[in-house]
Amino acid sequence: MVGNSETISYVDNGKLCQFHGGLILEHHKCESMARPLARPLLPEYLRVSLRLNRGNVSKPVVETGDKVLKGQVIAVPDTPRGVYVHAPTSGIIMEITQRPVASPDADLAPVVCIRPDGKDQWTPRQAVAEPFSLSRQELVQRIREAGIVGMGGAGFPTHLKYQKPAELLIINGAECEPYISCDERLMLDYPHELLQGTRLLMHASGAKEAIIAIEDQVGRVRSVLEKIIREKHYPGIRVVKVPTIYPAGGEKQLIKVLTCQEVPSGGIPMDLGIVVQNTGTAKAVRDAIVEGTPLIQRFVTVTGDVVGEPRNFEALIGTPFRHLLSLAKTDDERLHRLVVGGPMMGYAMPEVGTGIDKTSNCLLALSEEITRHHGPLMPCIRCGECVNVCPQELLPHQLHWYIKGENLEMAREHHVFDCIECGACAWVCPSQIKLVDYYRYAKAELRYLDYKKAKAERAREQHEKHDRRLERLKAERAARRKRHTQRLKDPASARENIAATLERLKQKPAPNRAGEPASISPEGDKSKDNTAETTDNPESSNRTETTPSGKDNNPA
Amino acid sequence: MKLSIESAPHIPRPISVQKVMGLVILALVPALLAHWWFFGPGILVQVILAVGFALAFEAAMLKARQVPLKPFLTDLSAVLTGILFALCVPPLAPWWIALLGMFFAIVVAKQLYGGIGNNIFNPAMLGFAVMLIAFPREMSNWLAPRDIAIHMPGLWETLQHIFTGGLSQSQVAYDTLTQATPLDTIKNGLRQGQALSEIRSQPVFGDFGGMGWEWIANWYAIGGLFLWRQRIITWHVPAAVILTTIAFSLPFFLYDSDVFLSPLQHLFSGGTLLGAFFIATDPVTGSSTPRGKLIFGAGVAILMILIRQFGTFPDGVAFSVLLMNSAAPLIDRLTIPKPYGTKGQRHG
Ligand code: SF4
Ligand code: SF4
């Protein structure tokens, strides 16, 4: 289906493509890049979420009061799509409770609270000396056991991207949201590790080519990486600068820019033979294989207009927001909104006690002034600016119109499921409409309706099957009765029949007398029907208990 | 500490409906000044009247509909409607033209449809069209442009005429002040069997369009380019209107230049450029898809030319815009763009 040699030849020519629309936003990354990376002191407690952004919940394998070592597994997945969770440091499990986790609606999910013992004592680790001698399957298995997920924001379990061999690996270092600089910091501070991780992922995916995509505004990154590639003779890895246009770092847009191809609607990059992975993920893979370190820490940018010393931290998973905010000298008085992620797609958290999770790339602490809208909420004036900027080439205002009128099927017809929720439309809207909220609602609602419809459909099928069965039984019964009456009408056979019956009665004890003719009476057949019905029922209810599954359409 | 949990965008862009409307009004200022220069202070009085009535009707209707007054009164959309209407009526038109025109524009076309964003028809054009049909005489008594006018009415005379309908104190006869618009002149000339070349030799005509008129048209175009630079409008509608006007009128003109107007005459007469940049681009009542905008603009141009050449009214911009307004929802439905990932892929 895909001529992948062609996929790559575009980049060889140095030709980049453009996606439709997009925004040019103020960069605001220099603030946090001005300071070096910091490793925070151990916080008083860690709150490790057992649920990923939109993913499955893992099952805890520790209990309150248990002592755990750094890197020890504390929760295991119960589906192939789930992830392992490890203790970020050694300490004691204080409690496992439902708490709001870092997620768009601050949903409640199980959270393991660990009190560090300060020793940071490791559980034995399994480093691999010769990682390239591992088979692809072994590599992917180790990635899974290290609990690695996409660290750009969507948190898709990494091992699931390597079920099939790919042709091209794209390492996404082009964080397009303003303010977030953790990718740039990582590429500058850990270039060797990043490249090693890239090579391991090439090995895992079977891709002969890899592109490390960076923004054209990040200063030295390219020369640093290219120098190492040259010196170490890493084959097949190229560093490509992409224009800083929001959302160039979105998976679909990045693929378009680099390869001039579009991921089919409703599809995944693998449909083009491409795997896209965030820089942080590449490093995490390297750490997992080369050091045997599971994913227990990540780079996180702490910035915003009320942060006194914006910078990047390499923080343990579960580190409370509060801890990082105070290390970055945040002005608590002026803090009005705390966003996890960037200003375009991030989500505001109701409290500062929550811990960062594997996908938290940025804490953005904002004052009231900067978050204020510049006009009142108005009806859509159809100015069309949202249409001009939508990178997915949708009609955001029409979607809004139909969803507002609860005309969800029209929203589907207008391709609501192709929306990547980048928020470009909402940002330009002069009427200040929270457009993305409408699309999320419509998607969730449509998925639910589809699920219900499928369920009803199955129920109907079951019902029809059941009806057909009744029909058949009825026909059989009628036939039988007909045969019987015919036999009775025919005097010879009737006499024979009566004689036979009398004969049988003579041989059997009295109580059966009433029961015998029942076998040919309608009542007898009815009881049979009833059993048919009851055996049918549990089957049908079992089969319909499936849950709807939606595709994650998020840009990295 | 209470944290706000509003959803993204967390750092909103400094833009509002008020600002969008304000920029459109700003873009009209040069044309307004040109209008003043060529036709005297009548336009200022008309703008004040129309805007005043527009805001009054808007406020009354908002009250009646029980929606908050402040955001909707200050969004400047009614102000813009008033200005656009004023630019279309004769400078000395009686005051009740603005009153009735704004009644139809704001009350009927806008508020009864649900207010800003929900109206199907362009309010200014609906008000104008109703006035044109109901009061054709009052709506076609234009002034002679400065260069050929015997007398330019001053502010006092203007006010007098607008509010009392006469010029009692003045020695100047009303007839010497007024003059048919160039398009009116053409229509009447053609009716009397005159050839266009003959008609066009009258002093009211300038190089391309009408004297004075063509300059106002230029300023509309320049204001429109400003709006395009500011990303308030896209190129689609103006380009479609202008190019279609040229393409559609050229064959007629070449066929018989004594009966059919030249493309340039079409472009620089009447409301063509005002329509192309400020009226057909009205987002609420136009098409909103890129291809739809091209169709919409082309439709406006074609209907306008047909009305000018074959209809009973001298200018057709208002009617063609209104006709296309009613087709806009259908155009939108038929031109839904194909999103990312659904177009002809390079590889099957
Ligand atoms: S940007 Fe806002 S006001 Fe403009 S068309 Fe889109 S939704 Fe409507
Ligand atoms: S959020 Fe969806 S509709 Fe809005 S610009 Fe992004 S992709 Fe387009």
Coordinates of all heavy atoms in Angstrom, one line a residue, chain A residues 1 6 10 179 252 260-265 336-337 343-344 346 371 373-374 378 380-382 385 392-394 397 413-415 427-428 430-432 434 437, chain B residues 3-17 72 75 116-118 231 234 283-284 286 288-289 332-333 336-337 339-343 345-347:
Chain A
M1 N 0.8 -1.2 0.0 CA 0.0 0.0 0.0 C 0.8 1.3 0.0 O 0.6 2.2 -0.7 CB -1.0 0.0 1.2 CG -0.4 0.7 2.4 SD -1.2 0.6 3.9 CE 0.2 0.7 4.9
E6 N 9.6 6.0 -1.0 CA 9.2 7.4 -1.3 C 9.0 8.3 -0.1 O 9.4 9.4 -0.1 CB 7.9 7.4 -2.1 CG 8.1 7.7 -3.6 CD 6.7 7.8 -4.2 OE1 6.2 8.9 -4.2 OE2 6.2 6.8 -4.7
Y10 N 11.4 12.2 0.1 CA 11.1 13.6 0.2 C 12.1 14.3 1.1 O 12.5 15.4 0.9 CB 9.7 13.7 0.8 CG 8.6 13.3 -0.1 CD1 7.9 12.2 0.1 CD2 8.4 14.1 -1.2 CE1 6.9 11.8 -0.8 CE2 7.4 13.8 -2.1 CZ 6.6 12.6 -1.9 OH 5.7 12.3 -2.8
Y179 N 6.0 28.2 25.6 CA 6.4 28.0 27.0 C 7.1 26.7 27.3 O 8.0 26.6 28.2 CB 5.3 28.1 27.9 CG 4.8 29.6 28.1 CD1 3.8 30.1 27.3 CD2 5.3 30.4 29.0 CE1 3.3 31.4 27.4 CE2 4.9 31.7 29.2 CZ 3.9 32.2 28.3 OH 3.4 33.5 28.5
K252 N 0.1 14.3 13.3 CA -0.3 14.3 11.9 C 0.3 15.5 11.1 O 0.7 15.3 10.0 CB -1.8 14.5 11.9 CG -2.5 13.2 12.4 CD -4.0 13.3 12.4 CE -4.6 12.0 12.7 NZ -6.0 12.0 12.9
C260 N 5.3 14.9 3.5 CA 4.3 15.3 2.5 C 3.1 14.3 2.4 O 2.4 14.3 1.4 CB 4.9 15.6 1.1 SG 6.1 16.9 1.2
Q261 N 3.0 13.4 3.3 CA 1.9 12.5 3.3 C 1.0 12.8 4.4 O 1.4 13.4 5.4 CB 2.4 11.0 3.4 CG 3.2 10.6 2.2 CD 3.5 9.2 2.3 OE1 2.6 8.3 2.3 NE2 4.8 8.9 2.4
E262 N -0.3 12.3 4.3 CA -1.3 12.5 5.3 C -1.7 11.2 5.9 O -2.0 10.3 5.2 CB -2.5 13.3 4.8 CG -2.2 14.7 4.3 CD -3.4 15.5 3.9 OE1 -4.5 14.9 3.9 OE2 -3.2 16.7 3.6
V263 N -1.7 11.1 7.2 CA -2.2 9.9 7.9 C -3.7 9.8 7.5 O -4.5 10.8 7.7 CB -2.1 10.1 9.4 CG1 -2.6 8.8 10.1 CG2 -0.6 10.3 9.8
P264 N -4.1 8.7 7.0 CA -5.5 8.6 6.6 C -6.5 8.9 7.7 O -6.2 8.6 8.9 CB -5.7 7.1 6.2 CG -4.3 6.6 6.0 CD -3.4 7.4 6.8
S265 N -7.6 9.5 7.4 CA -8.6 9.9 8.4 C -9.0 8.6 9.2 O -9.3 7.6 8.6 CB -9.8 10.4 7.7 OG -10.8 10.6 8.6
H336 N -3.3 32.1 39.6 CA -4.7 32.1 39.4 C -5.1 30.8 38.7 O -6.2 30.2 38.9 CB -5.1 33.3 38.6 CG -6.5 33.3 38.1 ND1 -7.6 33.5 39.0 CD2 -7.1 33.1 36.9 CE1 -8.7 33.4 38.4 NE2 -8.5 33.2 37.1
R337 N -4.2 30.4 37.8 CA -4.5 29.1 37.1 C -3.3 28.3 36.9 O -2.2 28.8 36.6 CB -5.1 29.5 35.7 CG -5.7 28.2 35.1 CD -6.3 28.5 33.7 NE -7.3 29.6 33.8 CZ -7.9 30.0 32.7 NH1 -7.6 29.6 31.5 NH2 -8.9 31.0 32.8
P343 N -0.2 26.4 26.9 CA -1.4 27.3 27.0 C -2.5 27.0 26.0 O -3.6 27.4 26.1 CB -0.8 28.7 26.7 CG 0.5 28.4 26.0 CD 1.0 27.1 26.5
M344 N -2.1 26.2 24.9 CA -3.1 25.9 23.9 C -3.9 24.6 24.2 O -5.1 24.6 23.9 CB -2.4 25.7 22.5 CG -1.7 26.9 22.1 SD -2.7 28.4 21.8 CE -3.6 27.8 20.4
G346 N -3.2 22.5 27.2 CA -3.1 22.1 28.5 C -4.4 22.1 29.3 O -5.4 22.7 28.8
T371 N -4.7 35.4 31.9 CA -5.7 34.4 31.4 C -7.0 35.1 31.1 O -7.9 34.4 30.6 CB -6.0 33.4 32.6 OG1 -6.5 34.1 33.7 CG2 -4.8 32.6 32.9
H373 N -10.0 37.0 29.2 CA -10.4 37.2 27.8 C -10.5 38.6 27.5 O -10.7 39.5 28.4 CB -11.7 36.5 27.6 CG -11.6 35.0 27.6 ND1 -11.3 34.3 26.5 CD2 -11.8 34.1 28.6 CE1 -11.2 33.0 26.7 NE2 -11.5 32.9 28.0
H374 N -10.3 38.9 26.2 CA -10.3 40.3 25.8 C -11.7 40.8 25.3 O -11.8 41.9 24.7 CB -9.2 40.5 24.7 CG -7.9 40.2 25.3 ND1 -7.0 41.1 25.7 CD2 -7.3 39.0 25.5 CE1 -5.9 40.5 26.1 NE2 -6.0 39.2 26.0
M378 N -19.6 35.8 22.9 CA -20.6 36.3 22.0 C -21.0 35.1 21.1 O -20.3 34.1 21.1 CB -20.0 37.4 21.1 CG -19.6 38.6 21.8 SD -21.0 39.7 22.2 CE -21.4 40.4 20.6
C380 N -21.3 33.1 17.7 CA -20.4 33.0 16.5 C -20.8 34.0 15.5 O -22.0 34.0 15.1 CB -20.4 31.6 16.0 SG -19.6 31.4 14.4
I381 N -19.9 34.8 15.0 CA -20.2 35.7 13.9 C -19.7 35.2 12.6 O -19.7 35.9 11.6 CB -19.6 37.1 14.2 CG1 -18.1 37.0 14.4 CG2 -20.2 37.8 15.4 CD1 -17.4 38.4 14.3
R382 N -19.4 34.0 12.6 CA -19.0 33.3 11.3 C -17.9 34.0 10.6 O -17.8 34.1 9.4 CB -20.2 33.1 10.4 CG -21.2 32.2 11.0 CD -22.5 32.2 10.3 NE -22.4 32.1 8.9 CZ -22.4 31.0 8.1 NH1 -22.6 29.9 8.7 NH2 -22.3 31.1 6.8
E385 N -12.3 32.9 10.8 CA -10.9 32.8 11.1 C -10.5 31.4 11.6 O -9.5 30.9 11.4 CB -10.6 33.9 12.2 CG -9.2 34.1 12.5 CD -8.3 34.5 11.4 OE1 -8.8 34.7 10.2 OE2 -7.1 34.6 11.6
Q392 N -6.5 20.8 10.5 CA -7.1 19.6 10.0 C -8.1 19.9 8.8 O -8.9 19.1 8.4 CB -7.8 18.8 11.1 CG -6.9 18.2 12.1 CD -6.2 17.0 11.5 OE1 -5.0 17.1 11.1 NE2 -6.8 15.9 11.4
E393 N -8.2 21.2 8.5 CA -9.0 21.6 7.4 C -10.5 21.3 7.7 O -11.2 20.8 6.8 CB -8.6 21.1 6.0 CG -7.3 21.7 5.6 CD -6.7 20.9 4.5 OE1 -7.1 21.0 3.3 OE2 -5.7 20.1 4.7
L394 N -10.9 21.6 8.9 CA -12.3 21.4 9.2 C -13.0 22.7 9.2 O -12.4 23.8 8.9 CB -12.4 20.8 10.6 CG -11.6 19.6 10.9 CD1 -11.8 19.1 12.4 CD2 -12.0 18.4 10.0
H397 N -16.5 26.4 13.0 CA -17.7 27.1 13.3 C -19.0 26.3 13.0 O -20.0 26.4 13.7 CB -17.8 28.5 12.7 CG -17.9 28.4 11.2 ND1 -17.0 27.7 10.4 CD2 -18.8 28.9 10.3 CE1 -17.3 27.8 9.2 NE2 -18.4 28.5 9.1
E413 N -20.8 14.4 10.1 CA -20.7 14.6 8.7 C -19.7 15.7 8.4 O -19.0 15.7 7.4 CB -22.1 15.0 8.1 CG -22.2 14.8 6.7 CD -23.6 15.2 6.2 OE1 -24.6 14.5 6.7 OE2 -23.8 16.1 5.4
H414 N -19.5 16.6 9.3 CA -18.5 17.7 9.2 C -17.2 17.2 9.8 O -16.4 18.1 10.2 CB -19.0 19.0 9.8 CG -20.0 19.7 8.9 ND1 -21.2 19.3 8.7 CD2 -19.8 20.9 8.2 CE1 -21.8 20.2 7.9 NE2 -21.0 21.1 7.5
H415 N -17.0 16.0 10.0 CA -15.7 15.4 10.3 C -15.2 15.7 11.7 O -14.0 16.0 11.9 CB -14.6 15.8 9.3 CG -15.0 15.6 7.9 ND1 -15.1 14.3 7.3 CD2 -15.4 16.5 6.9 CE1 -15.5 14.5 6.0 NE2 -15.7 15.8 5.8
W427 N -8.5 29.7 19.9 CA -7.5 30.8 20.2 C -7.8 32.0 19.3 O -7.7 33.2 19.8 CB -6.1 30.4 19.9 CG -5.1 31.3 20.5 CD1 -4.8 31.6 21.8 CD2 -4.3 32.2 19.7 NE1 -3.9 32.5 21.9 CE2 -3.5 33.0 20.6 CE3 -4.1 32.5 18.4 CZ2 -2.6 33.9 20.3 CZ3 -3.2 33.4 18.0 CH2 -2.4 34.1 18.9
V428 N -8.2 31.8 18.1 CA -8.4 33.0 17.2 C -9.8 33.5 17.3 O -10.1 34.6 16.8 CB -8.1 32.6 15.7 CG1 -6.7 32.3 15.5 CG2 -9.0 31.5 15.2
P430 N -12.9 35.5 17.8 CA -13.2 36.8 18.4 C -14.4 36.7 19.4 O -14.5 37.6 20.2 CB -13.5 37.7 17.2 CG -13.9 36.8 16.1 CD -13.2 35.5 16.4
S431 N -15.2 35.7 19.2 CA -16.4 35.6 20.1 C -16.0 34.8 21.4 O -16.9 34.6 22.2 CB -17.5 34.9 19.4 OG -18.0 35.7 18.3
Q432 N -14.8 34.4 21.5 CA -14.3 33.8 22.7 C -15.0 32.5 23.0 O -15.2 32.1 24.2 CB -14.4 34.7 24.0 CG -14.1 36.2 23.7 CD -12.6 36.4 23.6 OE1 -11.8 35.6 23.9 NE2 -12.3 37.5 23.0
K434 N -15.4 28.6 23.5 CA -14.5 27.5 23.9 C -14.8 26.3 23.0 O -15.5 25.4 23.3 CB -14.8 27.1 25.3 CG -14.5 28.2 26.4 CD -13.1 28.1 26.8 CE -12.8 29.2 27.8 NZ -11.3 29.4 27.9
D437 N -14.2 22.5 23.7 CA -15.1 21.8 24.6 C -16.3 21.2 23.9 O -16.7 20.1 24.2 CB -15.6 22.8 25.7 CG -14.5 23.2 26.6 OD1 -13.4 22.7 26.5 OD2 -14.8 24.1 27.5
Chain B
L3 N -8.2 27.9 42.6 CA -7.6 28.0 41.2 C -8.7 27.9 40.2 O -9.8 27.3 40.3 CB -6.7 26.8 41.0 CG -5.4 26.9 41.8 CD1 -4.6 25.6 41.6 CD2 -4.6 28.1 41.4
S4 N -8.5 28.7 39.1 CA -9.5 28.7 38.0 C -9.3 27.4 37.2 O -8.2 27.0 36.9 CB -9.3 29.9 37.2 OG -9.3 29.6 35.8
I5 N -10.4 26.8 36.8 CA -10.2 25.5 36.0 C -10.9 25.7 34.6 O -11.3 24.7 34.0 CB -10.8 24.3 36.7 CG1 -12.2 24.6 37.2 CG2 -9.9 23.9 37.9 CD1 -12.9 23.3 37.6
E6 N -10.9 26.9 34.1 CA -11.4 27.1 32.8 C -10.6 26.3 31.8 O -9.4 26.1 32.0 CB -11.3 28.6 32.5 CG -12.5 29.1 31.7 CD -12.3 30.6 31.4 OE1 -12.4 31.4 32.4 OE2 -12.2 31.0 30.3
S7 N -11.2 26.0 30.6 CA -10.4 25.2 29.7 C -9.6 26.2 28.7 O -9.8 27.4 28.7 CB -11.3 24.3 28.9 OG -12.4 25.0 28.4
A8 N -8.7 25.5 27.9 CA -7.9 26.3 27.0 C -8.7 27.1 26.0 O -9.8 26.7 25.8 CB -6.9 25.3 26.3
P9 N -8.2 28.1 25.4 CA -6.8 28.6 25.5 C -6.6 29.4 26.8 O -7.4 30.2 27.2 CB -6.7 29.6 24.3 CG -8.1 30.0 24.0 CD -8.9 28.8 24.4
H10 N -5.4 29.1 27.4 CA -5.2 29.7 28.8 C -4.6 31.1 28.7 O -4.7 31.8 29.6 CB -4.3 28.8 29.5 CG -4.8 27.4 29.8 ND1 -5.9 27.2 30.6 CD2 -4.5 26.2 29.2 CE1 -6.3 25.9 30.5 NE2 -5.4 25.3 29.7
I11 N -4.0 31.4 27.5 CA -3.5 32.8 27.3 C -4.3 33.3 26.1 O -3.8 33.1 25.0 CB -2.0 32.8 27.1 CG1 -1.3 32.2 28.4 CG2 -1.5 34.3 27.0 CD1 0.2 32.2 28.3
P12 N -5.4 33.9 26.3 CA -6.3 34.2 25.1 C -5.6 35.3 24.2 O -4.8 36.1 24.7 CB -7.6 34.8 25.7 CG -7.5 34.3 27.1 CD -6.1 34.2 27.5
R13 N -6.0 35.3 23.0 CA -5.5 36.2 22.0 C -6.2 37.5 22.2 O -7.4 37.5 22.5 CB -5.7 35.6 20.6 CG -5.4 36.5 19.5 CD -5.7 35.7 18.2 NE -5.5 36.6 17.1 CZ -6.4 36.7 16.1 NH1 -7.6 36.1 16.2 NH2 -6.2 37.4 15.1
P14 N -5.5 38.7 22.1 CA -6.2 39.9 22.2 C -7.1 40.2 21.0 O -6.8 41.0 20.2 CB -5.1 41.0 22.4 CG -3.9 40.3 22.0 CD -4.1 38.8 21.9
I15 N -8.3 39.6 21.0 CA -9.2 39.8 19.9 C -10.6 39.8 20.5 O -10.9 39.1 21.4 CB -9.0 38.8 18.8 CG1 -9.9 39.0 17.6 CG2 -9.3 37.4 19.3 CD1 -9.3 40.1 16.7
S16 N -11.5 40.5 19.9 CA -12.9 40.4 20.3 C -13.8 40.8 19.1 O -13.3 41.4 18.1 CB -13.2 41.4 21.5 OG -12.9 42.7 21.1
V17 N -15.1 40.6 19.2 CA -16.0 40.9 18.2 C -15.9 42.4 18.0 O -15.9 42.9 16.9 CB -17.4 40.5 18.5 CG1 -18.4 41.0 17.5 CG2 -17.5 39.0 18.6
F72 N -23.9 43.3 23.8 CA -24.4 43.3 22.4 C -24.5 44.8 21.9 O -24.5 45.0 20.7 CB -25.7 42.6 22.4 CG -25.6 41.2 22.6 CD1 -25.8 40.6 23.8 CD2 -25.2 40.3 21.5 CE1 -25.7 39.2 24.0 CE2 -25.1 39.0 21.7 CZ -25.3 38.4 23.0
D75 N -20.8 45.8 20.8 CA -20.0 45.0 19.9 C -19.8 45.8 18.6 O -19.1 45.3 17.7 CB -20.7 43.7 19.7 CG -22.1 43.8 19.0 OD1 -22.4 44.8 18.4 OD2 -22.8 42.8 19.0
I116 N -27.1 39.1 16.6 CA -25.9 38.9 15.9 C -25.5 37.5 15.7 O -25.6 36.7 16.6 CB -24.7 39.7 16.6 CG1 -23.5 39.6 15.8 CG2 -24.6 39.2 18.0 CD1 -22.4 40.5 16.4
G117 N -25.1 37.2 14.5 CA -24.6 35.8 14.2 C -25.7 34.9 13.7 O -25.4 33.9 13.1
N118 N -26.9 35.3 13.9 CA -28.0 34.4 13.5 C -28.8 34.8 12.3 O -29.7 34.1 11.8 CB -29.0 34.1 14.7 CG -28.3 33.4 15.8 OD1 -27.7 32.4 15.6 ND2 -28.3 34.0 17.0
R231 N -6.3 40.3 8.3 CA -6.9 39.0 8.4 C -8.4 39.1 8.8 O -8.9 38.1 9.4 CB -6.1 38.1 9.3 CG -4.8 37.8 8.8 CD -4.1 36.7 9.6 NE -4.9 35.5 9.6 CZ -4.4 34.3 9.6 NH1 -3.1 34.1 9.6 NH2 -5.2 33.2 9.5
T234 N -10.9 37.4 4.0 CA -9.9 36.7 3.1 C -10.1 37.2 1.7 O -11.0 37.9 1.4 CB -10.2 35.1 3.1 OG1 -11.5 34.9 2.6 CG2 -10.1 34.6 4.5
P283 N -19.5 38.2 7.2 CA -19.3 36.8 7.5 C -20.6 36.1 7.9 O -20.8 35.0 7.5 CB -18.3 36.8 8.7 CG -18.5 38.1 9.3 CD -18.8 39.1 8.2
V284 N -21.4 36.8 8.6 CA -22.6 36.2 9.1 C -23.5 35.6 8.0 O -24.1 34.5 8.1 CB -23.4 37.1 10.1 CG1 -24.7 36.5 10.5 CG2 -22.6 37.5 11.2
G286 N -22.8 35.4 4.7 CA -22.2 34.9 3.5 C -21.8 33.4 3.7 O -22.2 32.8 4.7
S288 N -19.1 30.4 4.3 CA -17.9 30.5 5.2 C -16.9 29.4 4.8 O -15.9 29.3 5.5 CB -18.4 30.2 6.6 OG -19.0 29.0 6.7
T289 N -17.1 28.7 3.8 CA -16.0 27.7 3.3 C -15.2 28.4 2.2 O -15.8 29.3 1.5 CB -16.6 26.4 2.8 OG1 -17.3 26.7 1.5 CG2 -17.7 25.9 3.7
D332 N -22.8 26.4 1.6 CA -21.9 25.9 2.7 C -22.0 24.3 2.7 O -21.0 23.7 2.9 CB -22.3 26.5 4.0 CG -21.5 27.7 4.3 OD1 -20.7 28.1 3.5 OD2 -21.8 28.4 5.3
R333 N -23.2 23.9 2.6 CA -23.4 22.4 2.7 C -22.7 21.7 1.6 O -22.2 20.6 1.8 CB -24.9 22.1 2.7 CG -25.6 22.1 4.0 CD -25.1 21.1 5.0 NE -25.2 19.7 4.6 CZ -26.3 19.0 4.7 NH1 -27.4 19.5 5.2 NH2 -26.3 17.7 4.3
I336 N -18.3 21.6 1.8 CA -17.5 21.2 3.0 C -16.2 20.8 2.5 O -16.1 19.9 1.7 CB -18.2 20.0 3.7 CG1 -19.6 20.4 4.1 CG2 -17.4 19.6 4.9 CD1 -20.4 19.3 4.7
P337 N -15.1 21.4 3.0 CA -13.8 21.0 2.6 C -13.4 19.6 3.0 O -13.9 19.1 4.0 CB -12.8 22.0 3.2 CG -13.6 22.8 4.2 CD -15.1 22.4 4.0
P339 N -11.2 17.2 4.9 CA -10.2 17.4 5.9 C -8.9 16.6 5.6 O -8.8 15.8 4.7 CB -10.8 16.9 7.2 CG -12.0 16.1 6.8 CD -12.3 16.4 5.4
Y340 N -7.9 17.0 6.5 CA -6.6 16.3 6.4 C -6.9 14.8 6.5 O -7.7 14.3 7.3 CB -5.8 16.7 7.7 CG -4.5 16.0 7.9 CD1 -3.3 16.6 7.7 CD2 -4.5 14.7 8.4 CE1 -2.1 16.0 7.9 CE2 -3.3 14.0 8.6 CZ -2.1 14.7 8.4 OH -0.9 14.0 8.6
G341 N -6.1 14.0 5.6 CA -6.2 12.6 5.7 C -7.4 12.0 4.9 O -7.6 10.8 5.0
T342 N -8.1 12.8 4.2 CA -9.2 12.2 3.4 C -9.1 12.5 1.9 O -9.9 12.1 1.2 CB -10.6 12.8 3.9 OG1 -10.6 14.2 3.7 CG2 -10.9 12.4 5.3
K343 N -8.0 13.3 1.6 CA -7.9 13.6 0.2 C -7.2 12.5 -0.5 O -6.6 11.6 0.1 CB -7.1 14.9 0.1 CG -7.9 16.1 0.3 CD -7.1 17.3 0.5 CE -6.7 17.4 1.9 NZ -6.8 18.7 2.5
Q345 N -4.8 10.3 -1.4 CA -3.5 10.0 -0.9 C -2.6 9.7 -2.0 O -3.0 9.3 -3.1 CB -3.6 8.8 0.0 CG -4.4 9.1 1.3 CD -3.7 9.8 2.4 OE1 -2.6 9.4 2.7 NE2 -4.2 10.8 2.9
R346 N -1.3 10.0 -1.8 CA -0.3 9.7 -2.8 C -0.3 8.2 -3.1 O -0.1 7.8 -4.2 CB 1.1 10.0 -2.3 CG 1.3 11.5 -2.4 CD 2.6 11.8 -1.6 NE 2.8 13.2 -1.7 CZ 3.2 13.9 -2.8 NH1 3.4 13.2 -3.9 NH2 3.3 15.2 -2.8
H347 N -0.5 7.5 -2.1 CA -0.4 6.0 -2.3 C -1.8 5.5 -1.8 O -2.3 5.9 -0.8 CB 0.7 5.4 -1.4 CG 1.9 6.2 -1.5 ND1 2.8 6.1 -2.6 CD2 2.5 7.1 -0.7 CE1 3.8 6.9 -2.4 NE2 3.6 7.5 -1.3

